[in-house]
Amino acid sequence: MAAPHRHRHLTARVVAGLAASLTVAVTAVTLWGAAPSSATPAATAVTSTTNTETATSTATATSTPTATDTATATDTATPTTTTSTTTPPSDGYVRWTRISPSTTSVTLTWTAYHASTFMVRRDDGTGTPTPASGTLVYSGNELRAVDTTVTPWTRYRYAVWAEDGAGGYLQPAVTTTTTSVQPVAGLSATGTSATTAALTWTAPTDPGVAAVVVTRIGPLGALHTVYSGTGTTATDSGLLPGYVYSYTAVAQDASGRSGSAGRAVALVTSRTWTTTAASPYAGWPGAMACASSTWCMAVDNTGSYQVMSGTTWSKAVAAFGMSPDPEWEPVISSLTCPAAGRCSAIRSGRVVEFSNGGWRSAGSPSSGWTSLDCPSTTSCIAIRRDGWSTTRVGTTWTAPVRIGTLRGVDWNDVACQAAGRCFAIATGSTTYSSWRGTLAGTAWSTGFLTGYQTGSLTSISCSSSSCLALGERVRVMVSGSTWSVRSLEPSTYIGSTSQVSCATPTLCVALNFDSVERWSGGSVVERSRLSANIGQVRSVSCPRTGGACFAVDDRGRFYRWTPTTHWVLLGTYDQTTGGVGRIGCRTADSCFFVDRNGWLVGWNGATWTRSGKYFTQPATVECSGTGFCIAVDSINKVYRVWSGGAWGASKPMPLAAADLSCASPTLCLAVDEQGRVTRFTGSGWSTPVAALTSQWNDAPRVSCPTGGPCMLLSSNGSYRQYSGSALTATKQLPSTFPALGSLLSCGSPTMCIAVVDSGDWAQWNGSTWTIHPQDFTAYRLGTLACVSAEQCLATYGYSNDDVPVTWTLGGWAAGLPSYPPDGHGRPECVSLETCFMAGTTTVSRSS
């Protein structure tokens, strides 16, 4: 199922709150002056609606921001007016254009048509205004007047008449206003970080203004006072990243009465992600082949090669580009070395060769080659999965030919006993049956080996007179040119071979998951775990001379087998580093993680620096407060504590921790896949006790908000808390919540979020869980970390989405800016503003 298209959104309550906060009533009404009926105006009530126009002063301007508004909205001294749809009379009219009240005056402006002399009168708004009633404010030919005889906080009606030139007056324009402190002009808001905003405004000139009060409306319509005083700037902090905030400023007099609100401005807070290359890969062996017991070639997955000559290895020399996934994906495949100093391999579908101390193209025809073997320095064969082959004699490659007449099979591997005597194995594309190919001279013959019930073949290797092919549950031998098949019964043999190498008919070595097997003839005679709990063997090689076999693991270690010593670790030849583990932070300037090979990497506020090799495997780091961190290696069941400015010694743990969370330096919980839990008390771990189990035998999730208690949630929906010093009784989430595979994080003791792959989610309020319907923004999340009771940060885990996902006050949202597409570990947030996002080799920091 493809992930649905996701949109950034606000909840209905947020939109309603913003709309309510930004609606300001219009109190001033202006009328067109109409044509006179006589030289002296009649006493006419102001009831006309056909000539009505809305005039607004700066005190009554409105703004309705949306989710895309930014802090670029600014206030102006010019009011917003509405254009009338009524055609003015041809012989003259007058209308108000602006009314600006303060505590000590009212400034009035108007426009006129075919008129040049005007009179303005003021009254209390009762009765009908006439040219002879009320207080005379102005008489003359200007289009502006200032009334300085007003009383604060009083409602007045103003009428302006235009003389008609014949001793009479046109019908007046009438408006009402209330004297109060001036509105605050020029309000602006600029986001300075993910959680702060800078506010500025113009100071009112009205002497009646005693203070300016700035308020904001945030998510869910909550009103908050940001500033009260006589300044012109303020900083608002504690905002939630990714949400709309609306700001309004009003002036107050000494008694605390407020004037009308100025224009509201809005901004959207957002995170800015800065990415640092924190732990690039180096080493990670992926291929190795030996020409003799004293000469081997190894190529690591970051593109460098090393040569063992005698008993020592050369320094790494860069030769190829890095693998897209250096931990697992080899840079080259089918590495084969028929003689010291001479090797061939497949790189990006083409054959490359090593000779005279360097790698170069071998000049193979076409591309797309998937398997290669060179029984001598003058003979090689390469095949493709789709059934084509080419051979090299000396330095010349033949034109590609088909491997017999078989169709509908995938050719997996090829190996040669000698030049012109090679053997290939294939799998039916749809039937999963096993097939064979035999090259005698220049001609291929093909045939059926076994059905899918017996097993499937993946790898073949030949000595000078025989071959051994292995795969899943099946063994095939070639003696001379005769093939024989034997099924390996699951009751006695479990595994799937990925690589086999043969020196003689009685000495072959194969990789079977994390074990190395030695075969003699058609039987396993020895099985060893060379890198148990410390990496995994990546390649094996048994040269046809010398009576020895070799192996390398992904930690850069080199092993040798002989009949007398069997497997012996000779040492580390390739110092392997890189990869980012789970991050733990004491402060915004002090964080740690352990890389994929056990090296500790620290952040000092400016750079990430690799220090010592504290573990042999990756480890989880968790911090609580500024003076405590703990790192746990779940494979080897050991831990270290950071305290007093340094990391302590490695100590044993009582279980293999699958999840870890700390509420304080004396309350950390670790759980394993058997559903057991142990507590770190500050000096050590307690004896594990059964906590939560499920039918899937997976570890429960655990999350400990600062101070506790800790929440544990199982895949079957059962949950418990660790409160004080004991577990509470087991309870069950409502059956409507599909808890399998749920993520869990608690932002406070009274707020936890659980979300599953489908986007269904549940919220804990301190006593009960509330189940919420599916939200497609939360679909297929990979990680979840709650920063506080108000906000959580998450990442997508199963798609190529590289945008942060937030849960804020009940709503999910995904938005820009994105962080680099480098894999996403669990976010580690020191505050609402500062979070760290682990990539594969990079770390992104928000601000």
Side-chain angles (χ1 to χ4, degrees):
M1 176 178 178
H5 187 64
R6 304 179 178 90
H7 296 276
R8 182 180 180 84
H9 65 277
L10 295 175
T11 63
R13 293 181 63 188
V14 173
V15 175
L18 285 175
S21 69
L22 299 177
T23 303
V24 181
V26 176
T27 59
V29 179
T30 303
L31 282 77
W32 290 98
S37 57
S38 63
T40 303
T44 305
V46 184
T47 58
S48 171
T49 58
T50 58
N51 279 356
T52 300
E53 174 189 349
T54 301
T56 56
S57 70
T58 56
T60 57
T62 62
S63 172
T64 306
T66 67
T68 56
D69 288 341
T70 67
T72 57
T74 58
D75 199 3
T76 62
T78 303
T80 302
T81 59
T82 304
T83 303
S84 172
T85 58
T86 303
T87 303
S90 61
D91 55 351
Y93 74 93
V94 63
R95 69 170 182 172
W96 295 110
T97 56
R98 184 178 180 185
I99 311 297
S100 299
S102 71
T103 55
T104 58
S105 65
V106 178
T107 301
L108 310 109
T109 59
W110 59 90
T111 59
Y113 180 73
H114 290 175
S116 59
T117 305
F118 311 94
M119 180 178 63
V120 179
R121 287 185 175 274
R122 182 192 79 211
D123 59 32
D124 60 4
T126 60
T128 301
T130 70
S133 63
T135 301
L136 178 64
V137 174
Y138 175 78
S139 179
N141 56 11
E142 298 292 334
L143 296 174
R144 181 179 182 274
V146 179
D147 185 3
T148 59
T149 63
V150 296
T151 301
W153 306 102
T154 304
R155 183 176 183 272
Y156 294 102
R157 179 173 62 184
Y158 290 90
V160 58
W161 284 269
E163 293 187 8
D164 62 2
Y169 296 94
L170 301 174
Q171 185 170 318
V174 181
T175 188
T176 60
T177 191
T178 299
T179 55
S180 66
V181 290
Q182 287 179 345
V184 179
L187 178 65
S188 68
T190 303
T192 54
S193 76
T195 60
T196 58
L199 307 168
T200 62
W201 58 90
T202 302
T205 58
D206 184 353
V209 174
V212 171
V213 177
V214 181
T215 58
R216 67 163 152 85
I217 294 178
L220 304 184
L223 183 66
H224 175 74
T225 299
V226 175
Y227 175 83
S228 179
T230 58
T232 58
T233 63
T235 298
D236 189 16
S237 59
L239 308 180
L240 297 175
Y243 266 76
V244 177
Y245 289 89
S246 173
Y247 294 90
T248 305
V250 298
Q252 291 182 344
D253 65 8
S255 65
R257 288 182 294 185
S258 299
S260 56
R263 177 174 179 167
V265 296
L267 62 82
V268 178
T269 54
S270 62
R271 296 183 184 274
T272 300
W273 293 94
T274 302
T275 301
T276 304
S279 187
Y281 284 112
W284 298 89
M288 184 266 301
C290 298
S292 69
S293 62
T294 58
W295 197 96
C296 297
M297 163 71 71
V299 181
D300 66 41
N301 294 345
T302 57
S304 296
Y305 72 89
Q306 291 173 260
V307 172
M308 184 199 77
S309 181
T311 59
T312 60
W313 286 87
S314 67
K315 292 183 178 180
V317 179
F320 308 103
M322 183 181 295
S323 163
D325 184 4
E327 287 186 67
W328 296 98
E329 188 174 329
V331 164
I332 62 171
S333 60
S334 291
L335 178 62
T336 177
C337 298
R342 296 292 301 274
C343 300
S344 296
I346 292 176
R347 165 71 172 161
S348 301
R350 295 186 178 274
V351 180
V352 293
E353 63 180 358
F354 179 85
S355 64
N356 298 321
W359 284 94
R360 61 190 60 84
S361 171
S364 59
S366 186
S367 62
W369 306 108
T370 55
S371 182
L372 170 77
D373 191 33
C374 299
S376 70
T377 58
T378 59
S379 175
C380 291
I381 185 170
I383 67 170
R384 296 192 342 182
R385 289 185 65 81
D386 60 0
W388 291 88
S389 72
T390 180
T391 59
R392 188 182 74 176
V393 178
T395 59
T396 304
W397 292 88
T398 64
V401 297
R402 297 288 306 188
I403 302 175
T405 59
L406 279 179
R407 299 295 185 270
V409 299
D410 297 321
W411 292 94
N412 299 322
D413 201 7
V414 65
C416 300
Q417 296 173 355
R421 190 166 72 249
C422 302
F423 306 88
I425 53 174
T427 303
S429 302
T430 58
T431 62
Y432 306 107
S433 51
S434 295
W435 299 78
R436 60 175 172 82
T438 301
L439 177 66
T442 60
W444 282 97
S445 62
T446 57
F448 176 77
L449 281 175
T450 183
Y452 75 92
Q453 301 92 337
T454 304
S456 59
L457 296 171
T458 57
S459 180
I460 186 171
S461 179
C462 296
S463 64
S464 59
S465 60
S466 65
C467 303
L468 176 66
L470 297 169
E472 183 179 0
R473 296 181 293 106
V474 64
R475 179 231 66 188
V476 173
M477 293 188 65
V478 182
S479 180
S481 59
T482 303
W483 297 75
S484 63
V485 180
R486 189 182 77 181
S487 175
L488 303 176
E489 295 298 330
S491 59
T492 58
Y493 183 84
I494 299 175
S496 179
T497 302
S498 58
Q499 183 185 356
V500 60
S501 178
C502 293
T504 67
T506 59
L507 179 57
C508 295
V509 170
L511 286 182
N512 184 352
F513 288 119
D514 59 353
S515 296
V516 177
E517 298 172 342
R518 183 168 62 88
W519 289 71
S520 178
S523 303
V524 177
V525 293
E526 184 181 353
R527 180 176 289 120
S528 306
R529 291 189 63 196
L530 302 187
S531 291
N533 294 340
I534 311 175
Q536 189 171 9
V537 173
R538 286 286 184 254
S539 186
V540 293
S541 179
C542 296
R544 293 185 181 182
T545 60
C549 292
F550 300 89
V552 294
D553 67 19
D554 59 4
R555 299 300 189 260
R557 295 180 301 177
F558 187 54
Y559 306 83
R560 180 176 59 199
W561 181 93
T562 66
T564 56
T565 63
H566 293 261
W567 286 108
V568 175
L569 173 63
L570 300 182
T572 299
Y573 74 97
D574 191 3
Q575 196 61 266
T576 304
T577 61
V580 179
R582 181 166 137 183
I583 299 171
C585 294
R586 298 188 305 111
T587 67
D589 296 328
S590 179
C591 301
F592 304 99
F593 68 80
V594 176
D595 80 1
R596 297 292 193 265
N597 199 29
W599 291 81
L600 183 73
V601 183
W603 167 256
N604 62 8
T607 59
W608 290 95
T609 303
R610 179 178 292 108
S611 54
K613 187 173 173 62
Y614 281 45
F615 299 93
T616 60
Q617 290 282 37
T620 296
V621 180
E622 178 83 352
C623 297
S624 182
T626 60
F628 171 82
C629 294
I630 190 168
V632 172
D633 174 355
S634 61
I635 296 177
N636 294 289
K637 296 194 291 186
V638 294
Y639 74 98
R640 290 176 182 259
V641 170
W642 189 96
S643 180
W647 286 92
S650 177
K651 297 180 180 179
M653 277 194 71
L655 52 70
D659 200 5
L660 169 72
S661 186
C662 293
S664 72
T666 59
L667 176 54
C668 295
L669 292 189
V671 294
D672 66 8
E673 293 187 350
Q674 287 72 51
R676 300 181 302 163
V677 61
T678 177
R679 173 186 176 175
F680 181 76
T681 61
S683 59
W685 293 90
S686 65
T687 301
V689 296
L692 292 174
T693 58
S694 72
Q695 59 268 44
W696 296 281
N697 294 319
D698 57 349
R701 301 283 185 170
V702 59
S703 181
C704 301
T706 301
C710 300
M711 176 69 72
L712 294 94
L713 175 63
S714 173
S715 288
N716 60 12
S718 58
Y719 67 94
R720 304 178 76 172
Q721 284 188 291
Y722 189 89
S723 180
S725 60
L727 288 164
T728 62
T730 302
K731 296 182 180 180
Q732 193 74 26
L733 267 72
S735 59
T736 54
F737 182 69
L740 179 61
S742 58
L743 303 176
L744 172 71
S745 186
C746 298
S748 76
T750 58
M751 198 291 291
C752 298
I753 297 295
V755 59
V756 293
D757 197 64
S758 62
D760 293 271
W761 62 285
Q763 183 175 350
W764 170 259
N765 64 5
S767 59
T768 59
W769 286 92
T770 300
I771 309 304
H772 296 268
Q774 182 185 46
D775 190 311
F776 282 122
T777 303
Y779 175 76
R780 289 199 166 178
L781 296 180
T783 65
L784 174 70
C786 290
V787 190
S788 67
E790 292 80 26
Q791 189 166 69
C792 305
L793 188 64
T795 64
Y796 291 119
Y798 304 104
S799 68
N800 59 356
D801 288 325
D802 298 303
V803 295
V805 181
T806 58
W807 176 94
T808 306
L809 296 174
W812 293 92
L816 299 175
S818 62
Y819 32 72
D822 184 38
H824 310 126
R826 196 187 77 163
E828 170 71 359
C829 295
V830 184
S831 64
L832 282 171
E833 178 180 359
T834 304
C835 292
F836 294 85
M837 188 78 69
T840 302
T841 60
T842 64
V843 175
S844 298
R845 181 179 184 270
S846 72
S847 59

